């Protein structure tokens, strides 16, 4: 468990449940480091299908490196000539939120089991986040070496100033759709920072940024590059500073953001908050959370259902499918994704029936052993 000093800054529930998928060694690493890499969390064929959808959507070809760089508009500020929103740009983010291949991953029993072990509860919602495609830096494509302030250096997706302590127990995750090495500028995290935030913050100016540490106070070199093979899940506590590194490799980096959040947040918000307080940006579903978390609430169950039913993006400010320059590959005007029994609960259509961390959240022993053998 966290020390008292660390607990003042970061909320971390004391574990009282039996693990069903993760090993004790993995959970111990999770508590000490604040992040975890689980190899083989997603089947390779699902990763291949999702990566193919991403590349088709943004118009790239593995055998044509020039195609990797053709989308040069800023997805946040620019528009295409016809007034539509760009689907991809130098920050690497891909504005694809709903595709059958994505939902195949989101409804994974294995992923749900992993997050259930970390929360100690299987009653979870799944997020409707986007994908990422980042090619290597090249002198002949200078715009791709300037991803913008949002995607440079380290940041948090929660407020970390003392006025907003303790940082809630919210988890974030990314699945590597293809093998990703350190030279490709993968996710970087500062290991164990959930235990260091209080002391670090005391050494900073009172008016420090709550969401982005200065490069002097916390440089990217202080973070660990998380390299892992295709199918790996990287999950981290929102209190960990994180961000991408420089891509100096030879192949594009292709990944997909996915996370789960508890239906009942009472045990995870921390002292002084009610259960409607968002655990992080994804839980709020709006950028307004970044300005003043106290003025926004968690997405309701109905709002989460609408994310699936209306094929809406993660955040209210993100473009809808009809606003983008092209539709999802093979799914123009398509209905909501098909859902499994688990998927119906994860989007909020069907209620969960048991608040306990139960066996139905996990896979059989064979799957569990496979997950442990491939985990770091």
């Amino acid at each position: 468990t966290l020390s008292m000093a660390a607990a003042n800054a970061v909320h971390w529930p004391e574990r009282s449940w039996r693990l069903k998928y993760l090993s004790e060694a993995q959970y111990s690493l999770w508590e000490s480091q604040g992040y975890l890499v689980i190899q083989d969390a997603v089947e390779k064929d699902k990763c291949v299908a999702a990566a193919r959808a991403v590349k088709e959507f943004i118009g790239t070809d593995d055998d044509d490196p020039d195609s990797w760089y053709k989308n040069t508009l800023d997805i946040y500020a620019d528009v295409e000539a016809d007034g539509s929103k760009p689907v991809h740009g130098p920050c690497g983010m891909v504005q694809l939120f709903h595709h059958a291949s994505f939902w195949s991953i989101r409804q994974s029993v294995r992923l749900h089991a992993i997050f259930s072990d970390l929360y100690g509860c299987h009653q979870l919602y799944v997020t409707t986040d986007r994908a990422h495609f980042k090619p290597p830096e090249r002198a002949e494509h200078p715009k791709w070496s300037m991803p913008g302030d949002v995607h440079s250096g380290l940041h948090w997706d929660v407020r970390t100033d003392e006025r907003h302590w303790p940082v809630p127990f919210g988890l974030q995750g990314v699945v590597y759709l293809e093998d990703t090495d350190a030279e490709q500028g993968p996710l970087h995290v500062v290991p164990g920072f959930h235990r260091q935030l209080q002391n670090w913050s005391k050494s900073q100016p009172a008016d420090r940024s709550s969401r982005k540490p200065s490069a002097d106070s916390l440089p990217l070199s202080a973070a660990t590059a998380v390299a892992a093979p295709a199918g790996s899940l990287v999950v981290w506590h929102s209190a960990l500073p994180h961000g991408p590194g420089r891509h100096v490799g030879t192949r594009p980096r292709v990944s997909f953001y996915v996370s789960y959040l508890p239906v009942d947040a009472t045990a995870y918000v921390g002292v002084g908050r009610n259960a409607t307080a968002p655990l992080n940006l994804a839980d709020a579903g709006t950028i307004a959370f970044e300005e003043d978390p106290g003025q926004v609430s968690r997405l309701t169950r109905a709002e989460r259902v609408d994310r699936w039913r209306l094929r809406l993006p993660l955040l209210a400010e993100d473009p809808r499918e009809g606003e983008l320059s092209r539709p999802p590959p093979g799914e123009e005007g398509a209905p909501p994704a098909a859902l499994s029994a688990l998927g119906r609960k994860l989007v909020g259509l069907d209620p969960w029936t048991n608040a306990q961390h139960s066996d139905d959240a996990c896979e059989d022993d064979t799957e569990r052993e496979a997950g442990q053998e491939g985990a770091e």
Side-chain angles (χ1 to χ4, degrees):
T1 58
L2 293 179
S3 67
M4 183 61 69
N8 289 336
V10 176
H11 181 61
W12 195 285
E14 184 173 354
R15 182 181 151 207
S16 60
W17 56 91
R18 183 170 63 89
L19 300 175
K20 303 297 182 68
Y21 186 91
L22 299 174
S23 68
E24 290 293 340
Q26 286 174 305
Y27 194 87
S28 178
L29 189 64
W30 162 248
E31 284 197 312
S32 65
Q33 299 297 299
Y35 81 100
L36 197 60
V37 181
I38 303 99
Q39 294 185 15
D40 297 319
V42 176
E43 296 88 335
K44 294 298 193 298
D45 61 329
K46 292 182 179 180
C47 292
V48 169
R52 184 187 305 118
V54 170
K55 294 172 185 178
E56 183 177 351
F57 183 58
I58 62 177
T60 64
D61 183 339
D62 286 351
D63 298 323
D64 179 12
D66 285 341
S67 71
W68 304 346
Y69 303 92
K70 65 181 182 180
N71 299 312
T72 58
L73 295 180
D74 184 324
I75 64 169
Y76 303 111
D78 295 337
V79 295
E80 301 280 0
D82 62 0
S84 62
K85 301 290 183 66
V87 299
H88 183 225
C91 70
M93 291 295 186
V94 177
Q95 302 289 53
L96 181 61
F97 300 88
H98 295 271
H99 190 268
S101 61
F102 287 10
W103 279 101
S104 178
I105 294 174
R106 287 175 180 142
Q107 299 179 78
S108 164
V109 174
R110 196 178 303 178
L111 283 186
H112 174 250
I114 292 168
F115 278 86
S116 295
D117 269 355
L118 298 177
Y119 281 114
C121 173
H122 74 278
Q123 290 194 337
L124 305 176
Y125 291 126
V126 70
T127 59
T128 56
D129 213 334
R130 73 203 84 200
H132 195 94
F133 181 98
K134 184 72 172 182
E137 294 183 10
R138 292 289 184 268
E140 60 269 32
H141 299 287
K143 287 189 176 181
W144 281 89
S145 298
M146 299 180 290
D149 183 64
V150 174
H151 299 281
S152 298
L154 300 171
H155 71 277
W156 294 280
D157 294 304
V158 293
R159 294 287 294 269
T160 63
D161 54 306
E162 296 183 24
R163 187 166 67 91
H164 293 93
W165 286 358
V167 176
F169 189 80
L171 310 184
Q172 298 173 243
V174 63
V175 171
Y176 290 170
L177 300 180
E178 296 183 347
D179 293 347
T180 304
D181 59 40
E183 290 187 341
Q184 289 177 278
L187 175 74
H188 284 56
V189 298
V190 181
F193 197 81
H194 60 305
R195 296 172 175 269
Q196 305 164 19
L197 174 59
Q198 179 155 314
N199 289 336
W200 175 85
S201 185
K202 297 296 185 184
S203 69
Q204 301 302 307
D207 61 348
R208 72 170 177 88
S209 170
S210 177
R211 296 196 61 252
K212 192 172 180 65
S214 69
D216 291 333
S217 66
L218 202 59
L220 188 62
S221 59
T224 295
V226 185
S232 297
L233 167 72
V234 186
V235 58
W236 67 97
H237 189 291
S238 291
L240 264 60
H242 60 279
R246 289 186 57 201
H247 192 334
V248 294
T250 59
R251 298 175 293 104
R253 183 178 76 245
V254 191
S255 55
F256 169 61
Y257 298 99
V258 61
S259 188
Y260 299 75
L261 294 156
V263 171
D264 182 354
T266 304
Y268 311 100
V269 291
V271 176
R273 297 189 182 95
N274 62 46
T276 64
L279 299 180
N280 53 29
L281 180 62
D283 201 23
T286 173
I287 294 175
F289 173 80
E290 297 179 349
E291 300 303 320
D292 190 350
Q295 297 303 308
V296 295
S297 298
R298 305 186 74 205
L299 290 170
T300 65
R301 176 178 168 183
E303 288 171 327
R304 295 177 199 271
V305 171
D306 279 348
R307 289 291 195 278
W308 162 79
R309 183 173 61 85
L310 302 177
R311 299 175 66 104
L312 299 178
L314 177 72
L315 304 177
E317 295 81 6
D318 288 326
R320 299 191 178 199
E321 289 183 346
E323 299 176 297
L324 295 169
S325 58
R326 68 197 69 157
E331 295 189 1
E332 182 173 7
L339 297 175
S340 63
L342 173 61
R344 291 179 62 87
K345 294 177 181 178
L346 290 173
V347 303
L349 267 180
D350 293 343
W352 291 96
T353 57
N354 187 343
Q356 301 303 312
H357 182 64
S358 62
D359 290 336
D360 65 8
C362 302
E363 301 189 78
D364 60 30
D365 290 341
T366 301
E367 292 281 5
R368 182 176 184 274
E369 290 170 5
Q372 290 182 6
E373 288 175 2
E376 292 185 355

